[in-house]
Amino acid sequence: MAAPQPAMMLPRELAHDTIALHYKPTAKIHYTFAAGNAPAEQPRRLVVFLNGLMTDKSTWLPVMAGIIRNHRDNGFPSLLAYDRYGQGLTEDRDPLDSGAEKGRGHNVADAVHDLHQLVNQVWADKIGNSEAGIRLILVANSIGCAIARLYAQRYPGRVEALLLLDPMIANSKFDWWPNPDSKDFDPGEIPVDVTVDVLREQRTKFATFFAPDVINKEGLDRRDLAELLPYSDRPVLEAPQGLRPILTVVGHDPEQFAAESLKSMGTPISLSMKYTNPLWHRYNQGLLQITDPHLAVGPVVANNCGHFVQRDDPSFVIDQLSSLLGRLVLQPSGVDI
């Protein structure tokens, strides 16, 4: 992991507030917003930062601050980060959870719907009156990347660009390693430093922590996520004006991820290097196909970063987002569908 970031003063443009979605008036969402100052000849855009399950919007604040400071003179788009219900500074639970079994009240599709409503309200209140001209840039980490993809699929013509940071393998049950209890299991295929007992223990541990049916603090139900996003490489997304979105896919540093997995889960480094990292890389390669080839960049390796790239190295994310914004200015139209 990169060195801890020093405490920093946030730029004056960043403001914190709460908002209640019109169809969920009893619950408030905490968000951070900065109004853009892009040149008048450029379309108005909104960058939305999407959290994973184990981080909150505070991890995006250094990135937002860096974008403002680096682009204050030549213009930056509006910026929005928020904590979903039951996450970070949003203490209110999703009203859909009321009366439901714990952890089963709302799913990723509901989170996408909430994102859509949030964008509409923030855009109307702070950017422009018409929803017709909304142009979004989605910057996401972990399961936030699944939310970003599903949003772009369900609301075609809105998402102009995506920066996906170590996307969660959405179609996985976190069953990444050989099953020692399978009749086809060959103990000779596993790394020499991994015993069958260790392999079985790791499979059980990962299922306990990460399987889709495991209840999380946020209460976001992931059991149907593989059905919502069954493939990494399709469908192809549609950007504004019937075009394709610009895309950057970033993956974790394999060695850093393996070291962190050893520390946090006791996972032998050889298991991560032989199975987990190659599987994740193939998934990221598939994601490059959700737009046209010349509009896709990656998978870019975030050196010295584990899964939470924006936390480990916000400067790297600032650079990647700045590059993506530059590509939008130089090549805003993509390719006709």
Side-chain angles (χ1 to χ4, degrees):
M1 185 171 71
Q5 299 297 308
M8 59 182 297
M9 291 289 293
L10 294 178
R12 63 184 182 276
E13 290 90 344
L14 283 176
H16 310 288
D17 205 347
T18 60
I19 189 171
L21 303 182
H22 291 333
Y23 58 78
K24 294 181 178 179
T26 61
K28 291 187 176 181
I29 290 173
H30 199 283
Y31 71 95
T32 300
F33 178 80
N37 69 342
E41 63 270 16
Q42 292 185 17
R44 285 179 290 186
R45 296 182 170 102
L46 174 63
V47 180
V48 185
F49 298 87
L50 301 173
N51 308 331
L53 281 176
M54 300 174 67
T55 57
D56 56 39
K57 70 181 178 67
S58 66
T59 63
W60 298 114
L61 297 183
V63 176
M64 300 171 79
I67 291 296
I68 292 171
R69 292 192 175 103
N70 292 354
H71 298 272
R72 185 178 278 134
D73 293 339
N74 60 346
F76 60 87
S78 295
L79 309 172
L80 172 67
Y82 71 103
D83 287 329
R84 297 187 296 272
Y85 295 113
Q87 182 185 64
L89 294 177
T90 299
E91 297 180 353
D92 290 341
R93 310 296 299 188
D94 192 323
L96 292 177
D97 294 348
S98 179
E101 180 184 352
K102 182 179 179 181
R104 308 304 187 213
H106 69 285
N107 65 3
V108 173
D110 296 314
V112 167
H113 189 203
D114 291 343
L115 169 60
H116 185 64
Q117 183 63 31
L118 176 65
V119 165
N120 287 346
Q121 291 181 216
V122 170
W123 188 277
D125 291 345
K126 300 181 179 295
I127 301 175
N129 293 325
S130 173
E131 295 180 9
I134 292 180
R135 290 172 179 256
L136 301 179
I137 301 161
L138 301 182
V139 181
N141 172 238
S142 192
I143 201 172
C145 299
I147 294 174
R149 284 185 62 203
L150 194 59
Y151 183 92
Q153 290 178 28
R154 295 200 168 185
Y155 301 100
R158 278 202 166 196
V159 178
E160 199 170 21
L162 303 100
L163 173 55
L164 304 180
L165 304 171
D166 214 32
M168 175 187 182
I169 304 178
N171 58 4
S172 169
K173 295 182 179 180
F174 290 85
D175 186 12
W176 297 339
W177 305 316
N179 182 358
D181 298 316
S182 169
K183 64 178 182 180
D184 299 324
F185 175 68
D186 179 1
E189 293 184 357
I190 62 176
V192 295
D193 62 329
V194 178
T195 67
V196 171
D197 287 341
V198 167
L199 177 60
R200 185 178 287 110
E201 175 193 11
Q202 283 294 307
R203 287 174 54 86
T204 300
K205 185 180 290 187
F206 261 69
T208 300
F209 279 91
F210 301 118
D213 60 350
V214 174
I215 295 173
N216 50 74
K217 181 179 178 181
E218 180 182 341
L220 183 64
D221 190 350
R222 298 175 292 125
R223 291 177 298 172
D224 63 348
L225 182 55
E227 298 173 13
L228 295 171
L229 292 170
Y231 310 105
S232 66
D233 59 356
R234 56 190 188 274
V236 176
L237 303 179
E238 180 182 339
Q241 300 179 324
L243 307 172
R244 302 293 193 204
I246 290 174
L247 170 67
T248 299
V249 178
V250 172
H252 60 250
D253 183 321
E255 293 185 357
Q256 182 65 36
F257 179 84
E260 292 184 2
S261 296
L262 173 64
K263 181 177 179 180
S264 63
M265 300 291 291
T267 306
I269 287 178
S270 58
L271 273 183
S272 295
M273 298 302 288
K274 181 170 183 176
Y275 298 108
T276 311
N277 285 329
L279 173 67
W280 215 313
H281 183 68
R282 289 193 298 272
Y283 186 85
N284 288 341
Q285 287 178 315
L287 289 173
L288 298 176
Q289 300 182 52
I290 61 177
T291 191
D292 286 331
H294 76 285
L295 298 174
V297 170
V300 179
V301 175
N303 291 327
N304 301 316
C305 291
H307 184 50
F308 306 111
V309 178
Q310 75 278 14
R311 181 197 67 187
D312 291 351
D313 193 352
S315 295
F316 170 83
V317 180
I318 292 167
D319 290 344
Q320 292 297 320
L321 180 52
S322 295
S323 174
L324 187 145
L325 293 173
R327 290 158 63 197
L328 273 177
V329 173
L330 294 174
Q331 189 174 341
S333 59
V335 175
D336 291 336
I337 293 176

